Amino acid sequence: MTAEALPGPAEPYKPGLPRPGALLRAASDAIPPSGLVLLAILSVQVGAGFAKDLFSQLPPSAVVFLRIAMGALIMGVVARPRLKGLTRVDVGLGVAFGVTLGVMNLSFYEALARLPMGIAVAIEFLGPLGVAVAASRRRLDLLWVALAGSGVVLLAPWGTAASRISWAGIGFALVAAVCWAGYILLSAAVGQRFPGTTGLSFAMIVSFLLIAPVGIGTGGADLLQPELLLIGLGVGLLSSVIPYSIELEALRRMPKQVFGILMSLEPAVAAMVGLLVLGEVLDVREWAAIGCVVVASVGATRARR
């Protein structure tokens, strides 16, 4: 829709004319829930691609700071957290949630600096996969764990791959995976104690306070460049605010199991975004490893009926 098609400030809405919020809701309702999930995945990975492109101008810790700062600012305005009425346990859970969120983002961006996007996301995805099978007693789930483990073994820097994939990158991605698992568990606990999305907003502020000293220390005066601030705002929107809103709408209209299966496609989407946005070409072995993680995640999610 062009600017000419929008009503001007002085033009009042006529009776029966839909409000902008209603138009947005109608637009989202016109998209199938599976399409919303794919849009959310694409938004996250495009945001990660833009963030990685910034590594030539800023270190990963400074880029993480920009992303979390923008996300905390937006979430703080949308859902301002209130400490009134919260117990010490509530606040403690919120702080733990925020620390986990900050370490997860910092570890993932450090992994992105050392690994192709698809590979970093595939390893990080072991976190939610571990949560999916941890409480299960089905023997079949051992197959999914073995399949995902095989994928990581294929990605390890053996021989000629040593110059392309580093052990340090794999280590950072594994730390991010552990944090992602903790994020899932803590988000459920925080969601029961904080109203609405204020728990996430509280966690974003904690993450900001945690990452700020590192990000400002490594980024320095470069963080004040308008162009970098604008890109940081875009990364924050694409990686946090937009996908979170879309996922909430998708979960409202589809079973959680189907949502989980579609989210399992995230490593493959990350590899495609890495190829198209960053020119990261993966070989057959690396695509096979990503495929192992995706199939394992789909299998584990389908088993949780």
Side-chain angles (χ1 to χ4, degrees):
M1 182 178 290
T2 62
E4 291 78 6
L6 295 173
E11 181 180 350
Y13 281 100
K14 298 178 181 180
L17 190 65
R19 297 284 180 177
L23 291 175
L24 292 175
R25 175 58 63 88
S28 64
D29 288 343
I31 302 175
S34 57
L36 292 176
V37 176
L38 293 177
L39 281 176
I41 294 174
L42 186 62
S43 178
V44 169
Q45 298 310 324
V46 170
F50 286 153
K52 184 168 184 176
D53 195 46
L54 277 180
F55 291 169
S56 60
Q57 304 176 66
L58 290 172
S61 55
V63 178
V64 171
F65 168 70
L66 281 178
R67 169 185 170 175
I68 292 180
M70 296 302 177
L73 176 62
I74 296 170
M75 288 300 299
V77 172
V78 173
R80 186 174 62 180
R82 296 181 180 179
L83 297 180
K84 186 178 180 180
L86 297 177
T87 66
R88 291 184 178 180
V89 175
D90 298 338
V91 174
L93 281 173
V95 171
F97 190 31
V99 171
T100 302
L101 179 62
V103 176
M104 178 180 69
N105 281 284
L106 181 59
S107 300
F108 177 65
Y109 276 38
E110 291 289 351
L112 274 184
R114 296 165 173 84
L115 301 172
M117 270 187 59
I119 294 175
V121 173
I123 298 175
E124 187 195 29
F125 217 77
L126 296 179
L129 174 60
V131 173
V133 302
S136 175
R137 297 181 179 179
R138 294 167 54 95
R139 293 182 178 180
L140 182 61
D141 286 330
L142 296 176
L143 171 63
W144 308 130
V145 173
L147 186 60
S150 299
V152 176
V153 170
L154 284 174
L155 292 174
W158 314 117
T160 56
S163 60
R164 175 182 176 85
I165 301 175
S166 69
W167 284 109
I170 292 178
F172 278 117
L174 289 174
V175 171
V178 173
C179 290
W180 196 353
Y183 173 87
I184 293 172
L185 298 176
L186 286 170
S187 64
V190 169
Q192 295 176 353
R193 295 174 178 269
F194 285 75
T197 59
T198 58
L200 179 62
S201 179
F202 182 86
M204 291 291 291
I205 294 174
V206 172
S207 297
F208 168 76
L209 296 176
L210 176 70
I211 299 298
V214 180
I216 295 175
T218 57
D222 290 337
L223 291 171
L224 299 178
Q225 296 183 32
E227 179 184 356
L228 298 184
L229 287 175
L230 184 61
I231 298 176
L233 174 61
V235 170
L237 287 171
L238 289 171
S239 300
S240 301
V241 180
I242 292 176
Y244 180 74
S245 303
I246 294 176
E247 287 169 5
L248 284 179
E249 178 64 20
L251 281 169
R252 186 179 66 85
R253 296 165 50 191
M254 71 190 308
K256 291 184 179 180
Q257 183 191 21
V258 178
F259 176 84
I261 291 174
L262 291 173
M263 288 297 293
S264 301
L265 299 175
E266 193 158 352
V269 175
M272 291 301 300
V273 171
L275 173 64
L276 298 176
V277 176
L278 302 172
E280 296 176 342
V281 180
L282 304 182
D283 58 29
V284 175
R285 178 177 58 84
E286 291 164 343
W287 275 109
I290 292 173
C292 287
V293 175
V294 170
V295 172
S297 181
V298 171
T301 303
R302 286 179 59 85
R304 295 182 66 194
R305 291 185 179 274

